[in-house]
Amino acid sequence: MSIAKTYNPKEAEDKWYSYWMDKGFFRSVPDEREPYTIVMPPPNVTGVLHMGHMLNNTIQDVLIRRARMQGKNACWVPGTDHASIATEAKVVAMLKEKGIDKKSITRDEFLKYAWEWKEKYGGIILKQLEKLGASCDWERTKFTMDPDLSEAVIDTFIKFYREGYIYRGIRMVNWDPQGKTALSDEEVIRKEVNQKLYYIRYQIKDSNEYVIIATTRPETIMADTAICINPNDERYKHLQGKSVLVPLINREIPIIQDEYVEMEFGTGCLKVTPAHDLNDYELGQKHNLEVIDILNDDGSLNEKAEILIGEDRFAARKKIAVLLEEAGQIEKIEDYKSQVGFSERTDAAIEPKLSMQWFLKMDELSKPALEYVEDGTIKLIPEKFFASYKHWMENVKDWCISRQLWWGQRIPAWFNDKNEFVVAKTEAEAIVEFEKAGKSTQSIRQEDDVLDTWFSSGLWPLSVFDGVRNPENPEFQYYYPTNDLVTAPEILFFWVARMIIMGHDYTQKPPFRNVYLTGIVRDKLGRKMSKSLGNSPDPIELMEQYGTDGVRVGMLLSSPAGNDLMFDVSYCEQGRNFANKIWNAFRLVKGWESVEAPATSSQKIAAEWFEQRFNQTLTEINEHFENYRLSDALMATYKLIWDDFCSWYLELVKPAYQAPIESETLATVKGLFQKILTLAHPFMPFLTEELWHDELFGNRDEQDCIIIAKYPVAQAFNEQAIKEFAIVQQIISEVRNIRNAKGISPKVALPLAINATNIDYSKYQDSIKKLANIEDLSFVKEKVSGAVSFLAGKDECYVALENNIDVDAEKERIAKEIEYLKGFLASVEKKLSNERFVQNAKPEIVQNEQNKKDDAIAKINILEDSLKSLG
């Protein structure tokens, strides 16, 4: 069988993903095994695969594949989120292209279009995740508006309402004029914006005097209902009890007093606009001020503004500034920077707006969600996010859960002809509730608003296993609580906290044990990757170019938990090169002819060393996984395969050119090769499955796949033996370095003498001779005059180069090395002479510094002796 020179990812990926699906390897049903469950953070149905999804889902797949190989019943539940605001915006835009205005059609007609859009585009991202190799149980795919999941949402609303947690009222909310809906505080992104600060003159009634008010929002002056001063401000004592005229419209408003006004801030005078600022609203309530809302839902000015009616708020801002200038009512205009809220979904500037909405009381509900994280029941990884989580949970506000949209779960509240309401699942049940209360049952209609998307996704770990409607069902009992949640820090409060709140409320249990928070994917300049910046590569194109395994490796090599990922395509190239390295190692072994013979002693020693090194690395990898250091786990796997297996072990055991290899050694190589493939599989599923089935490793039946092969179990290892072999490696590397430095061909055999102090090198002689090309290996008790020397561990080694050495150049090299080591020694001695360091540092750290000192002194002594021997 001819072996391709390079690995063909496309062919392997298509073949093995279909095979895994056909054989049901991703499928999970409850059995006697320990469950390992992950629920996918459901991407929006509007979405296509981006780099954040790539990172998040690669991490989940690594965790799920490893758990599957460890014999656990691995269940990864995929799905999508209906994303009310984003999806409705997409459908409205689609209808606009068809010449249809949303206002011109009924709700049912709109929803018909929305469902058609969802069926056409909503599954794109899940198909793309298959390309990534995501080993989800696709038969369990859920959508947050599936009938069973929607019923769970409605049941939860009714439950919370009846328990007194949900109420309806007029409150100041965050209004998205583009989405035309209320938002919760967590859906508002604060950004620093360059603005203008307008200093406006308000004339005192019946006077030529005026007060100056500074504002960034001159378009709202028509909604002013008072001017407020601090009662202790001597500058304005004479204005108490007077009134001012609102510029341009000359409406009279009172001057009120309140210590809320900071005398040192701005001009010390504050315009009070209760309809368009939360703090002003509270001040207005306190002083019983009129509330004048001058903005329509789309952010344009309404008739209450009296002027510029129908103008967009930002256009009105520019025009009103001109009008004020013309009227002589502008004192000055300054550049100003301030924080402005923007909609997380539409990026429209938020308007504070008084609105009738539905709210969920969060104070009591949120307490257990904080306790779970405080006591370690739920671990946030990394822990640095705990402080912000704690702050949010301790300062949580009631959650505005209603949205003025049509796409989503419609709130189960019903109104009669007198605008009284009841909460019930169906109209029939609502009639019964009205009758019980002795209220009219005429003209019953359902609430138009839908629930916030996060309300439904907050139930996700519960509802995907039908735990809300049927908590006693075997699947829910088996899979819940889930194990690990992998998500982004920016939705720690949107989603994670709310899942914990709802999970506890229903089950008195947490919905998961660990929350792995990924970083933001940034480009090499540190900018967040986005379509608008044009700095985000297409993940599908990356996988086409570098192979899926290469991209997976590239993503994980640069993704420490919770820290931003500075991504560069060079990482994917490194991943592809790693795949090719494994492929080339396979080609090398595959090309060996064997002869029936036992392994040589040096081959056995090499195998024993690699077994020890394998178990040492596996122990390290397991520790990394336990602490969710996946990038470190991959790097340890990478080094074990690239360095220890390919660069050392295979070089140590491979036969001479065109010579056969001993059959016993070949069998050992095959066994170790399969072990490293199982270790690499969670990171590189396609390549490892492709090689697993090659005839080199024998005939396998159709179920004998690496995806369900046993993950290696770490055995005890001999650390001393590993350290000893590391010195042998150092000797080989140093001899190679001498060749390179002196320009000596690798084909020229050199003599090597070792002053051995505590290692028996006899068993390593063949390995040293082979890899360092040594013609004569001797052991001495004295220094070898005129030879190049180096230290390996504590043993001095000598390479006699005869006429191949430039004495003056060698003296210069040794002198520079001595100078460097003396500088290093001085820094170590300074640290050890610091009493505070010695007293406060751990004993092992102090000992490590002492070891560095002793090692430096020994090297300096050897080098000085070498310098003397050169004359």
Side-chain angles (χ1 to χ4, degrees):
M1 172 185 169
S2 63
I3 310 161
K5 190 173 181 181
T6 56
Y7 169 55
N8 183 343
K10 180 89 172 77
E11 191 178 297
E13 289 161 16
D14 293 344
K15 174 173 67 176
W16 290 114
Y17 200 85
S18 297
Y19 190 89
W20 294 328
M21 289 281 285
D22 290 344
K23 300 302 176 188
F25 288 130
F26 304 162
R27 184 72 178 128
S28 173
V29 292
D31 58 26
E32 72 286 348
R33 291 175 294 166
E34 175 190 348
Y36 176 81
T37 317
I38 292 178
V39 292
M40 178 187 291
N44 292 350
V45 286
T46 58
V48 293
L49 197 64
H50 59 59
M51 298 302 285
H53 293 132
M54 283 280 289
L55 173 62
N56 185 290
N57 287 283
T58 296
I59 290 168
Q60 290 176 82
D61 194 50
V62 168
L63 293 173
I64 212 83
R65 285 180 182 275
R66 181 170 178 267
R68 189 183 287 121
M69 295 176 77
Q70 288 177 319
K72 297 174 185 175
N73 192 345
C75 179
W76 184 11
V77 181
T80 49
D81 188 277
H82 64 277
S84 291
I85 299 173
T87 305
E88 184 142 331
K90 290 274 189 185
V91 177
V92 168
M94 177 197 74
L95 291 173
K96 193 174 181 181
E97 287 179 6
K98 294 181 177 183
I100 302 171
D101 186 340
K102 177 189 169 186
K103 295 175 186 173
S104 69
I105 59 176
T106 66
R107 184 186 195 116
D108 287 343
E109 287 171 330
F110 177 84
L111 290 176
K112 182 173 177 289
Y113 283 115
W115 278 106
E116 286 174 0
W117 187 94
K118 182 265 176 186
E119 292 307 315
K120 186 173 181 180
Y121 299 106
I124 290 174
I125 192 165
L126 297 185
K127 295 305 290 183
Q128 290 175 321
L129 287 176
E130 292 182 13
K131 172 70 178 165
L132 181 64
S135 56
C136 304
D137 185 346
W138 295 109
E139 291 182 41
R140 293 184 177 276
T141 302
K142 296 291 184 181
F143 173 53
T144 50
M145 278 177 61
D146 284 340
D148 53 336
L149 272 69
S150 285
E151 186 177 5
V153 171
I154 299 306
D155 287 348
T156 301
F157 181 95
I158 294 169
K159 171 183 178 293
F160 279 146
Y161 178 79
R162 289 176 179 167
E163 290 171 350
Y165 289 116
I166 287 178
Y167 64 93
R168 182 174 182 260
I170 295 176
R171 300 286 186 278
M172 183 71 77
V173 298
N174 304 300
W175 186 262
D176 177 348
Q178 187 172 323
K180 298 187 185 66
T181 181
L183 302 176
S184 67
D185 290 342
E186 292 72 44
E187 290 169 291
V188 177
I189 308 299
R190 310 295 300 183
K191 299 180 189 177
E192 188 170 73
V193 174
N194 292 320
Q195 299 195 88
K196 299 289 184 185
L197 188 61
Y198 300 86
Y199 289 80
I200 304 174
R201 298 169 182 159
Y202 284 65
Q203 187 179 350
I204 308 297
K205 187 185 177 189
D206 300 327
S207 166
N208 291 326
E209 189 183 356
Y210 55 81
V211 292
I212 297 173
I213 310 291
T215 180
T216 59
R217 303 199 63 194
E219 73 277 10
T220 64
I221 63 173
M222 294 83 77
D224 292 350
T225 54
I227 296 296
C228 190
I229 57 176
N230 190 304
N232 304 310
D233 195 330
E234 292 295 332
R235 294 172 296 173
Y236 301 119
K237 286 271 188 185
H238 66 291
L239 298 180
Q240 293 178 8
K242 294 188 176 183
S243 302
V244 301
L245 301 175
V246 175
L248 301 179
I249 61 171
N250 294 322
R251 178 163 45 80
E252 182 181 347
I253 58 174
I255 295 174
I256 62 171
Q257 303 170 66
D258 198 290
E259 291 187 352
Y260 169 76
V261 178
E262 297 178 30
M263 292 185 285
E264 298 77 21
F265 186 77
T267 64
C269 288
L270 175 76
K271 79 185 198 71
V272 186
T273 319
H276 300 293
D277 182 275
L278 177 59
N279 295 321
D280 287 9
Y281 174 70
E282 291 174 354
L283 197 59
Q285 293 289 98
K286 180 178 176 182
H287 291 273
N288 199 30
L289 297 177
E290 184 184 2
V291 178
I292 303 173
D293 185 349
I294 64 166
L295 291 177
N296 295 313
D297 287 351
D298 64 358
S300 62
L301 273 61
N302 62 31
E303 66 281 353
K304 290 180 184 176
E306 299 185 36
I307 58 174
L308 301 176
I309 297 167
E311 292 281 355
D312 175 76
R313 55 192 167 147
F314 296 121
R317 179 177 301 176
K318 292 177 181 178
K319 290 183 178 181
I320 211 159
V322 173
L323 293 174
L324 289 166
E325 285 268 24
E326 291 172 347
Q329 291 175 305
I330 290 281
E331 179 79 10
K332 61 179 176 176
I333 301 173
E334 295 177 344
D335 290 330
Y336 186 72
K337 283 187 177 180
S338 65
Q339 293 281 322
V340 175
F342 289 84
S343 168
E344 187 257 345
R345 288 292 182 216
T346 66
D347 201 37
I350 291 300
E351 282 293 341
K353 183 177 174 66
L354 279 174
S355 181
M356 178 68 79
Q357 301 289 341
W358 295 87
F359 295 87
L360 178 65
K361 295 178 185 176
M362 294 289 280
D363 187 43
E364 287 300 317
L365 288 172
S366 65
K367 286 177 182 175
L370 176 56
E371 289 167 7
Y372 277 138
V373 179
E374 279 185 321
D375 66 19
T377 303
I378 295 175
K379 290 184 174 63
L380 299 184
I381 302 150
E383 293 179 351
K384 69 178 184 180
F385 291 106
F386 172 67
S388 57
Y389 179 84
K390 186 173 191 288
H391 177 79
W392 187 80
M393 297 303 284
E394 288 179 340
N395 296 278
V396 70
K397 296 177 182 176
D398 287 356
W399 174 12
C400 176
I401 56 174
S402 46
R403 298 291 179 268
Q404 287 63 59
L405 303 165
W406 283 348
W407 176 249
Q409 284 96 2
R410 196 170 177 181
I411 289 175
W414 307 80
F415 297 83
N416 62 16
D417 56 338
K418 296 179 180 177
N419 213 34
E420 299 164 321
F421 75 87
V422 295
V423 168
K425 201 165 186 175
T426 64
E427 184 175 349
E429 290 178 18
I431 291 170
V432 172
E433 293 296 320
F434 277 125
E435 288 174 342
K436 276 187 195 173
K439 294 177 180 177
S440 167
T441 57
Q442 297 298 308
S443 304
I444 289 179
R445 58 183 174 81
Q446 188 174 353
E447 166 68 87
D448 286 326
D449 293 355
V450 298
L451 282 159
D452 178 11
T453 300
W454 297 106
F455 190 92
S456 57
S457 57
L459 293 169
W460 186 246
L462 295 160
S463 57
V464 295
F465 297 115
D466 205 16
V468 173
R469 302 186 313 156
N470 184 14
E472 300 304 317
N473 83 77
E475 291 214 335
F476 183 66
Q477 293 293 318
Y478 180 76
Y479 290 116
Y480 190 93
T482 65
N483 294 75
D484 296 325
L485 178 74
V486 182
T487 191
E490 57 261 33
I491 57 173
L492 183 57
F493 313 117
F494 281 141
W495 190 46
V496 178
R498 287 159 177 172
M499 283 190 288
I500 300 172
I501 287 167
M502 292 188 173
H504 174 81
D505 187 74
Y506 268 107
T507 68
Q508 306 300 298
K509 295 176 186 176
F512 27 71
R513 305 296 183 192
N514 304 291
V515 181
Y516 180 105
L517 297 158
T518 63
I520 296 169
V521 183
R522 300 184 181 275
D523 65 16
K524 57 186 176 183
L525 298 178
R527 301 174 303 173
K528 184 176 179 179
M529 285 191 168
S530 69
K531 288 181 181 177
S532 59
L533 285 176
N535 64 341
S536 182
D538 182 338
I540 300 297
E541 289 179 7
L542 281 179
M543 289 188 279
E544 293 286 345
Q545 186 174 357
Y546 297 101
T548 297
D549 289 330
V551 176
R552 286 167 64 113
V553 168
M555 293 292 291
L556 290 176
L557 281 174
S558 51
S559 60
N563 293 320
D564 290 351
L565 183 161
M566 300 304 176
F567 181 79
D568 189 294
V569 291
S570 62
Y571 286 116
C572 295
E573 192 171 346
Q574 186 179 355
R576 180 180 63 186
N577 292 345
F578 184 38
N580 285 334
K581 183 75 172 179
I582 297 171
W583 184 262
N584 289 336
F586 160 74
R587 289 179 68 231
L588 174 69
V589 176
K590 177 97 169 177
W592 289 343
E593 296 291 337
S594 67
V595 61
E596 197 65 37
T600 65
S601 60
S602 63
Q603 289 171 334
K604 287 180 179 177
I605 289 166
E608 287 168 9
W609 162 75
F610 185 76
E611 282 279 8
Q612 301 298 322
R613 186 75 187 92
F614 180 90
N615 284 303
Q616 182 188 44
T617 304
L618 180 53
T619 301
E620 180 187 333
I621 288 168
N622 288 340
E623 184 184 342
H624 288 319
F625 269 110
E626 284 167 16
N627 291 286
Y628 295 85
R629 298 191 296 260
L630 270 68
S631 183
D632 294 337
L634 171 58
M635 185 50 74
T637 306
Y638 182 99
K639 288 179 178 176
L640 177 75
I641 295 173
W642 191 296
D643 297 338
D644 297 320
F645 186 75
C646 297
S647 300
W648 286 102
Y649 175 64
L650 291 184
E651 290 299 312
L652 283 164
V653 302
K654 79 177 182 182
Y657 180 63
Q658 292 191 333
I661 190 170
E662 291 78 3
S663 56
E664 184 183 354
T665 296
L666 182 58
T668 302
V669 170
K670 291 177 183 178
L672 293 174
F673 209 135
Q674 289 176 91
K675 287 176 77 170
I676 65 167
L677 288 177
T678 55
L679 210 56
H681 176 76
F683 304 107
M684 309 176 79
F686 296 109
L687 170 67
T688 51
E689 192 73 84
E690 178 75 6
L691 295 181
W692 186 260
H693 290 269
D694 189 85
E695 60 190 19
L696 175 68
F697 302 118
N699 295 320
R700 302 189 187 276
D701 64 43
E702 60 183 22
Q703 291 291 318
D704 186 359
C705 293
I706 198 169
I707 189 175
I708 54 169
K710 187 174 174 56
Y711 192 79
V713 176
Q715 306 296 323
F717 57 89
N718 186 332
E719 197 164 350
Q720 186 56 40
I722 294 170
K723 288 179 180 177
E724 196 172 280
F725 194 82
I727 293 171
V728 173
Q729 291 174 296
Q730 187 184 354
I731 291 171
I732 294 166
S733 297
E734 290 287 355
V735 172
R736 288 173 172 172
N737 290 340
I738 290 169
R739 287 180 186 279
N740 291 336
K742 307 302 178 188
I744 301 170
S745 169
K747 295 180 180 178
V748 175
L750 298 173
L752 175 67
I754 303 174
N755 185 354
T757 55
N758 59 0
I759 294 179
D760 178 9
Y761 287 99
S762 59
K763 62 181 179 179
Y764 300 117
Q765 285 191 69
D766 290 345
S767 297
I768 295 171
K769 285 180 176 180
K770 179 179 182 180
L771 295 191
N773 193 8
I774 300 300
E775 64 177 353
D776 178 34
L777 178 57
S778 59
F779 299 94
V780 297
K781 293 298 181 185
E782 298 175 350
K783 298 183 184 302
V784 177
S785 179
V788 175
S789 64
F790 60 86
L791 203 63
K794 294 184 178 180
D795 297 341
E796 193 167 5
C797 305
Y798 308 91
V799 179
L801 298 178
E802 298 176 351
N803 297 327
N804 291 317
I805 185 170
D806 181 334
V807 175
D808 290 337
E810 186 63 14
K811 282 182 177 180
E812 186 181 348
R813 183 191 69 80
I814 293 174
K816 284 182 179 177
E817 195 166 346
I818 290 171
E819 184 182 355
Y820 166 77
L821 284 168
K822 283 183 175 178
F824 175 76
L825 177 62
S827 68
V828 174
E829 286 178 331
K830 184 178 179 181
K831 190 179 281 189
L832 287 170
S833 65
N834 184 330
E835 288 185 16
R836 179 181 284 185
F837 168 74
V838 174
Q839 289 172 0
N840 296 332
K842 292 180 180 178
E844 58 266 29
I845 293 175
V846 176
Q847 184 58 51
N848 187 44
E849 293 301 314
Q850 186 63 50
N851 292 343
K852 288 180 185 178
K853 176 183 174 180
D854 296 342
D855 188 46
I857 291 170
K859 285 181 178 177
I860 290 168
N861 291 336
I862 289 169
L863 288 168
E864 287 177 339
D865 287 343
S866 296
L867 202 55
K868 288 176 187 174
S869 72
L870 290 171

Coordinates of all heavy atoms in Angstrom, one line a residue, residues 269-302:
C269 N -26.5 73.7 38.7 CA -27.9 73.6 38.4 C -28.2 72.4 37.5 O -27.4 72.1 36.6 CB -28.3 74.9 37.6 SG -28.4 76.4 38.5
L270 N -29.3 71.8 37.8 CA -29.6 70.5 37.1 C -31.0 70.6 36.5 O -32.0 71.0 37.1 CB -29.6 69.4 38.1 CG -30.1 68.0 37.6 CD1 -28.9 67.4 36.7 CD2 -30.4 67.1 38.7
K271 N -31.1 70.3 35.2 CA -32.4 70.2 34.6 C -33.0 68.9 34.9 O -32.3 67.9 34.8 CB -32.4 70.5 33.1 CG -31.9 69.4 32.2 CD -31.8 69.9 30.7 CE -31.7 68.7 29.7 NZ -33.0 68.1 29.6
V272 N -34.3 68.8 35.3 CA -34.9 67.6 35.7 C -35.9 67.1 34.5 O -36.8 67.9 34.2 CB -35.7 67.7 37.0 CG1 -36.2 66.4 37.4 CG2 -34.8 68.3 38.1
T273 N -35.6 65.9 34.0 CA -36.3 65.4 32.8 C -36.8 64.0 33.2 O -36.2 63.0 32.8 CB -35.4 65.4 31.6 OG1 -34.6 66.5 31.5 CG2 -36.3 65.2 30.3
P274 N -37.9 63.9 34.0 CA -38.3 62.6 34.5 C -38.6 61.5 33.5 O -38.4 60.3 33.8 CB -39.6 63.0 35.3 CG -39.5 64.4 35.6 CD -38.8 65.0 34.4
A275 N -39.0 61.9 32.3 CA -39.3 60.8 31.4 C -38.1 60.2 30.7 O -38.2 59.2 30.0 CB -40.3 61.4 30.3
H276 N -37.0 60.9 30.8 CA -35.8 60.5 30.0 C -34.5 60.3 30.7 O -33.4 60.3 30.1 CB -35.6 61.5 28.8 CG -36.9 61.5 27.9 ND1 -37.3 60.5 27.2 CD2 -37.8 62.5 27.8 CE1 -38.4 60.8 26.5 NE2 -38.7 62.1 26.9
D277 N -34.6 60.1 32.0 CA -33.4 59.8 32.8 C -33.9 59.1 34.1 O -34.8 59.6 34.8 CB -32.7 61.1 33.1 CG -31.4 60.9 33.9 OD1 -31.5 60.8 35.2 OD2 -30.3 60.7 33.3
L278 N -33.2 58.0 34.5 CA -33.7 57.3 35.7 C -33.5 58.1 36.9 O -34.4 58.1 37.8 CB -32.8 56.0 35.8 CG -33.1 55.1 37.0 CD1 -34.6 54.7 37.0 CD2 -32.2 53.9 37.0
N279 N -32.4 58.8 37.1 CA -32.2 59.6 38.3 C -33.2 60.8 38.4 O -33.7 61.1 39.4 CB -30.8 60.1 38.4 CG -29.8 59.0 38.6 OD1 -30.0 58.0 39.3 ND2 -28.6 59.1 37.9
D280 N -33.5 61.4 37.2 CA -34.4 62.4 37.1 C -35.8 61.9 37.5 O -36.6 62.6 38.1 CB -34.4 63.1 35.8 CG -33.2 63.9 35.5 OD1 -32.3 63.9 36.3 OD2 -33.1 64.6 34.5
Y281 N -36.1 60.7 37.0 CA -37.4 60.1 37.3 C -37.6 60.0 38.8 O -38.7 60.4 39.4 CB -37.6 58.8 36.7 CG -38.8 58.0 37.0 CD1 -40.1 58.5 36.5 CD2 -38.8 56.9 37.8 CE1 -41.2 57.8 36.8 CE2 -40.0 56.2 38.2 CZ -41.2 56.7 37.7 OH -42.4 56.0 38.0
E282 N -36.6 59.5 39.5 CA -36.7 59.3 41.0 C -36.8 60.7 41.7 O -37.6 60.8 42.6 CB -35.5 58.5 41.5 CG -35.5 57.1 41.0 CD -34.3 56.3 41.4 OE1 -33.3 56.9 41.9 OE2 -34.2 55.1 41.1
L283 N -36.1 61.7 41.2 CA -36.2 63.0 41.7 C -37.6 63.6 41.5 O -38.2 64.2 42.3 CB -35.1 63.9 41.0 CG -34.8 65.2 41.7 CD1 -34.2 65.0 43.1 CD2 -33.7 65.9 40.9
G284 N -38.1 63.3 40.3 CA -39.5 63.8 39.9 C -40.5 63.1 40.8 O -41.5 63.8 41.2
Q285 N -40.4 61.9 41.1 CA -41.3 61.2 42.0 C -41.3 61.8 43.4 O -42.3 62.0 44.0 CB -41.0 59.7 42.1 CG -41.1 58.9 40.8 CD -42.6 58.7 40.5 OE1 -43.2 59.4 39.7 NE2 -43.2 57.7 41.1
K286 N -40.1 62.1 43.8 CA -39.9 62.7 45.2 C -40.6 64.1 45.3 O -41.2 64.4 46.3 CB -38.4 62.8 45.5 CG -38.1 63.4 46.8 CD -36.5 63.4 47.0 CE -36.2 64.0 48.3 NZ -34.7 64.0 48.5
H287 N -40.5 64.8 44.2 CA -41.0 66.2 44.2 C -42.4 66.4 43.5 O -42.8 67.5 43.2 CB -40.0 67.2 43.6 CG -38.8 67.3 44.5 ND1 -38.7 68.3 45.5 CD2 -37.6 66.6 44.5 CE1 -37.5 68.1 46.1 NE2 -36.8 67.2 45.5
N288 N -43.0 65.2 43.1 CA -44.3 65.2 42.5 C -44.3 66.0 41.2 O -45.2 66.8 41.0 CB -45.3 65.7 43.5 CG -46.7 65.3 43.0 OD1 -46.9 64.2 42.4 ND2 -47.7 66.1 43.4
L289 N -43.3 65.8 40.4 CA -43.2 66.6 39.1 C -43.9 65.9 38.0 O -44.1 64.6 38.0 CB -41.7 66.7 38.7 CG -40.8 67.5 39.6 CD1 -39.3 67.4 39.1 CD2 -41.2 68.9 39.8
E290 N -44.4 66.6 37.0 CA -45.0 66.1 35.8 C -44.0 65.3 35.0 O -42.8 65.6 35.0 CB -45.6 67.3 35.0 CG -46.4 66.8 33.8 CD -46.8 68.0 32.9 OE1 -46.5 69.2 33.2 OE2 -47.5 67.7 31.9
V291 N -44.5 64.2 34.3 CA -43.7 63.4 33.5 C -44.1 63.7 32.0 O -45.2 63.4 31.7 CB -43.7 61.9 33.8 CG1 -42.9 61.1 32.9 CG2 -43.3 61.7 35.3
I292 N -43.2 64.2 31.2 CA -43.6 64.5 29.8 C -42.6 63.7 28.9 O -41.4 63.9 28.8 CB -43.4 66.0 29.5 CG1 -44.2 66.8 30.4 CG2 -43.7 66.3 28.0 CD1 -44.0 68.3 30.3
D293 N -43.2 62.7 28.3 CA -42.4 61.8 27.4 C -42.5 62.3 26.0 O -43.6 62.3 25.3 CB -43.0 60.4 27.5 CG -42.2 59.4 26.7 OD1 -41.3 59.8 25.9 OD2 -42.4 58.1 26.8
I294 N -41.4 62.8 25.4 CA -41.4 63.5 24.1 C -40.9 62.6 23.0 O -40.8 63.0 21.9 CB -40.6 64.8 24.1 CG1 -39.1 64.5 24.4 CG2 -41.2 65.8 25.1 CD1 -38.2 65.6 24.0
L295 N -40.6 61.3 23.3 CA -40.1 60.4 22.3 C -41.0 59.3 21.9 O -41.6 58.7 22.8 CB -38.7 59.8 22.8 CG -37.5 60.7 22.9 CD1 -36.3 60.0 23.5 CD2 -37.2 61.4 21.6
N296 N -41.1 59.0 20.7 CA -41.8 57.8 20.2 C -41.0 56.6 20.4 O -39.8 56.7 20.7 CB -42.1 57.9 18.7 CG -43.1 59.1 18.4 OD1 -44.1 59.2 19.1 ND2 -42.7 59.9 17.4
D297 N -41.6 55.4 20.2 CA -40.8 54.1 20.4 C -39.6 54.0 19.5 O -38.7 53.3 19.8 CB -41.8 52.9 20.2 CG -42.8 52.8 21.4 OD1 -42.6 53.5 22.4 OD2 -43.7 51.9 21.2
D298 N -39.6 54.7 18.4 CA -38.5 54.6 17.4 C -37.5 55.6 17.6 O -36.5 55.8 16.9 CB -39.0 54.6 16.0 CG -39.6 55.9 15.6 OD1 -39.8 56.8 16.5 OD2 -40.0 56.1 14.4
G299 N -37.6 56.4 18.7 CA -36.6 57.4 19.0 C -36.8 58.8 18.3 O -36.0 59.7 18.4
S300 N -37.9 58.9 17.7 CA -38.3 60.2 17.1 C -39.1 61.1 18.0 O -39.7 60.6 19.0 CB -39.0 60.0 15.7 OG -40.3 59.4 16.0
L301 N -39.1 62.4 17.8 CA -39.9 63.3 18.7 C -41.4 63.3 18.4 O -41.8 63.3 17.2 CB -39.3 64.7 18.6 CG -38.1 65.1 19.4 CD1 -36.9 64.2 19.2 CD2 -37.8 66.6 19.3
N302 N -42.2 63.2 19.5 CA -43.6 63.2 19.3 C -44.2 64.6 19.5 O -43.5 65.6 19.7 CB -44.3 62.2 20.2 CG -44.1 62.5 21.7 OD1 -44.0 63.7 22.1 ND2 -44.0 61.4 22.5

